[in-house]
Amino acid sequence: MTLIAQITDLHIRPRGLACYRVSETNMLAERAVAALNALAPQPDAVVVTGDLADAPDEREYAGVQRILSRIKAPVFVIPGNHDSPAMMRDLLTGVGPIDQGSDSKVHYAVDIGDVRLVALDSSVPGKPHGELGSAQLAWLEHTLAESDRPTLIAIHHPPAATGIAHMDRIGLKDSDALAALLSRNSHVERIMCGHIHRTIIASVGGTVMTLAPSTGHQVHLDIADREPGRFIMEPPGFFLHHHTRGSGVVSHLAYIEAFPGPFPFFADEGVSW
Ligand SMILES: [Fe+2]
């Protein structure tokens, strides 16, 4: 069994500042880390699918480093559109081989238990939309051909339109090329994404895309394109991707907040199930 936990869109701010003056993302990320560290069994890895920082500077990445270093499991990160890949390389340690990559993109592949993690960089400097680019797509094609291990791809921007129009307008520009590539690689069992700040599941290139909620604020559910982008303090969460040889990857959404329970199931006297 291999367990991969995924958190996303931490949007860490300089100490004492809330995100958009409302979302206490630093405190909420600390809660996410506490939830991850309380998991039993512990995950084999924690993957952070981008937007580690909010308006990236040294103060925010100092916070990212401080918070992620408290995670007990090995940590792997990729950039989102709110990140600076260059600052991540300069200022973060112990978060995967982010110094690799032949170009300005942060991409790498690592084996974790029985699965392989392929980490992609969809960030475009100074832009909110995503793009992998032809060089990274060529690297991905080569990398997927190297191994037929069950593979999970981490990418910040989802390679599917979600129906939330203001977010789709800042989506992944070369999603069709990625989907075509995936359709030729059936050992890719999951695409793990962020960016939209909601739980979303879709089919892409013959595999399953799961998009995790943010550890902080969520994007308001508006699939009618009736409003400008807004956020809402719905429950933050994370995904636990559970791989077994018999079932492949099964993904569980888990919440970070504490709720009443768990309680035992039992039948009242005279009642049978
Ligand atoms: Fe985000």
Side-chain angles (χ1 to χ4, degrees), residues 9 11 50-51 81-82 156 195 197:
D9 292 86
H11 287 262
D51 285 0
N81 53 293
H82 284 257
H156 181 69
H195 190 49
H197 292 229

Side-chain angles (χ1 to χ4, degrees), residues 21 43 64 73 94 109 111-112 133 149 163 186 206-207 214 222-223 251 256 270:
R21 301 184 184 178
V64 170
D111 289 342
I112 300 167
R149 286 167 75 94
S186 59
T207 191
S214 166
D222 171 29
I223 52 175
S251 298
I256 292 168

Side-chain angles (χ1 to χ4, degrees), residues 14-34:
R15 194 188 288 270
L17 293 182
C19 197
Y20 310 121
R21 301 184 184 178
V22 170
S23 180
E24 297 284 356
T25 47
N26 296 2
M27 177 270 288
L28 291 163
E30 297 269 15
R31 284 190 185 174
V33 169

